Amino acid sequence: MGKEVNGVSRSRFEMFSNNDEAVINKKLPKELLLRIFSFLDVVTLCRCAQVSRSWNVLALDGSNWQRIDLFDFQRDIEGRVVENISKRCGGFLRKLSLRGCLGVGDSALRTFAHNCRNIELLSLNGCTKITDSTCNSLSKFCPKLKHLDLASCTSITNLSLKALSEGCPLLEQLNISWCDQVTKDGIQALVRCCPGLKGLFLKGCTQLEDEALQHIGAHCPELVTLNLQTCSVSHSYLLFIKRQLF
């Protein structure tokens, strides 16, 4: 490989002048074409990749795949798709939404975490196949993670929160709504090591009681949003925590 220009090797750029006679490829600098491609959505990028060999290189360059939302394709997304995306994007990927992708499990997310270590926002809302193993992988490989949505991932337990507390100290938003196996012990482990939490969504975590709120109040000085719908907390203690935090 030759010297890289904006993430694309010089040898790849050479194919434009050598093999592609399209006017647009002659008139526009390849760096500018790559910049234009960066504004396209996933579907359009895939279509552009089929136009020519040179456009395939540009469309599939990892720098164009920093933000991906696969919600519209959830029925078609299986683990191998996530694995292939992670290998293509690598360290470029910052935001990924797999909301509703029921076919994605721990194995695919282990590969994802290993390849996409700069991920900052990850939505696994409704990915019911995942377990604590996924959070262990995120803890091990994704220290820059800030926003994580695990809502309705009902196999998640305290072990996930303990793992996240150890490897993802930059967490700002965590949604574990309807993860009803989580107890005060998991909350305690999480908040002690993630002091920058600004949003914590615990709706449907029916095992949480007043003691969990005590830990949140003591360790989350930056908290702005706290959802405790259907949790078994006393009204008086909730008002106390509200005054303490907000």
Side-chain angles (χ1 to χ4, degrees):
M1 284 290 182
K3 182 178 179 182
E4 288 195 353
V5 180
N6 286 352
V8 178
S9 68
R10 189 174 299 280
S11 60
R12 286 185 176 182
F13 271 156
E14 289 172 356
M15 72 171 62
F16 288 89
S17 57
N18 295 336
N19 301 320
D20 201 319
E21 299 301 321
V23 174
I24 190 173
N25 294 333
K26 290 183 175 182
K27 295 294 185 180
L28 294 181
K30 306 313 174 288
E31 296 87 349
L32 180 56
L33 281 171
L34 186 62
R35 177 62 175 165
I36 293 171
F37 274 57
S38 71
F39 292 97
L40 303 181
D41 58 35
V42 172
V43 174
T44 307
L45 281 171
C46 290
R47 288 173 178 166
C48 289
Q50 301 176 53
V51 170
S52 67
R53 184 183 177 193
S54 54
W55 277 33
N56 180 274
V57 172
L58 289 177
L60 298 183
D61 187 76
S63 62
N64 292 324
W65 297 74
Q66 297 183 42
R67 299 170 298 277
I68 303 175
D69 188 343
L70 297 176
F71 178 72
D72 290 338
F73 316 100
Q74 54 182 295
R75 294 182 179 178
D76 303 317
I77 300 301
E78 298 178 350
R80 60 183 177 80
V81 176
V82 176
E83 292 178 5
N84 290 337
I85 286 175
S86 73
K87 292 172 183 176
R88 166 63 60 182
C89 299
F92 286 108
L93 190 60
R94 298 293 189 276
K95 300 178 181 181
L96 174 65
S97 175
L98 297 173
R99 182 166 60 101
C101 296
L102 300 177
V104 178
D106 292 328
S107 178
L109 286 164
R110 180 167 57 250
T111 301
F112 163 81
H114 184 269
N115 290 324
C116 301
R117 304 189 181 203
N118 291 319
I119 192 72
E120 296 177 2
L121 185 153
L122 178 62
S123 176
L124 301 174
N125 190 317
C127 297
T128 53
K129 284 188 176 181
I130 72 167
T131 70
D132 293 326
S133 177
T134 286
C135 289
N136 285 331
S137 298
L138 295 174
S139 173
K140 185 176 181 180
F141 298 114
C142 303
K144 297 181 181 180
L145 191 62
K146 294 181 179 180
H147 293 210
L148 179 60
D149 189 345
L150 297 170
S152 299
C153 298
T154 54
S155 294
I156 294 299
T157 73
N158 290 336
L159 295 177
S160 286
L161 300 191
K162 291 176 181 178
L164 292 172
S165 71
E166 294 170 358
C168 304
L170 301 181
L171 270 180
E172 295 179 0
Q173 298 263 0
L174 178 65
N175 188 347
I176 52 172
S177 296
W178 308 111
C179 297
D180 56 8
Q181 297 189 59
V182 171
T183 71
K184 61 180 177 60
D185 295 331
I187 296 298
Q188 180 181 21
L190 175 74
V191 299
R192 281 187 171 181
C193 297
C194 299
L197 278 172
K198 294 180 173 65
L200 190 55
F201 301 85
L202 306 172
K203 181 179 180 180
C205 295
T206 54
Q207 295 196 58
L208 298 183
E209 299 179 348
D210 290 351
E211 192 172 348
L213 283 183
Q214 186 177 1
H215 296 310
I216 294 170
H219 298 285
C220 297
E222 297 186 31
L223 198 65
V224 175
T225 304
L226 178 63
N227 189 327
L228 293 165
Q229 285 180 268
T230 74
C231 295
S232 301
V233 296
S234 65
H235 183 66
S236 58
Y237 200 81
L238 182 58
L239 290 175
F240 171 74
I241 291 297
K242 184 176 180 179
R243 288 195 298 271
Q244 184 175 350
L245 291 175
F246 312 118

